[in-house]
Amino acid sequence: EARFSPSQNAKPRLTSLRVRGQNVENGDSFRVAMPQSLAKGGAGYFAVWGDLTKNAAKTGSTLAEAVVKWVRARKNVSPDDSVRIAPQS
């Protein structure tokens, strides 16, 4: 779950972030899958990595292949209808 303040500048806009019910703190890191074009800041996304070769790994798989592998490993996947990104109230 991510909460943000739309009135803030870009960097301090995010006011809280939780993953699997745990608060995310500065310095925490996560492994994510995304197309390389988005990781470089395409389609209006912020640039995630400054030096793509330093912080990212090319797996040789497409994002679609990674999702299929994830779903198959879990055998039963249900949608999560909870709000994940919302303005701070």
Side-chain angles (χ1 to χ4, degrees), residues 58-82:
K58 293 182 182 180
T59 63
S61 298
T62 66
L63 183 58
E65 290 167 339
V67 170
V68 167
K69 182 178 177 180
W70 184 86
V71 169
R72 284 187 176 149
R74 280 144 187 85
K75 296 184 176 49
N76 186 6
V77 178
S78 299
D80 178 357
D81 296 333
S82 64

Side-chain angles (χ1 to χ4, degrees), residues 14-47:
L14 185 65
T15 58
S16 69
L17 181 62
R18 294 173 63 85
V19 173
R20 295 184 179 152
Q22 300 295 314
N23 287 331
V24 174
E25 304 296 336
N26 287 337
D28 289 350
S29 63
F30 298 88
R31 178 179 276 180
V32 297
M34 69 175 62
Q36 187 175 10
S37 60
L38 293 183
K40 290 181 175 180
Y45 282 75
F46 294 111

Side-chain angles (χ1 to χ4, degrees), residues 1-8 13-16 83 85-89:
E1 173 185 301
R3 296 216 174 258
F4 65 95
S5 176
S7 62
Q8 294 292 323
R13 188 172 293 155
L14 185 65
T15 58
S16 69
V83 175
I85 300 177
Q88 187 173 6
S89 52

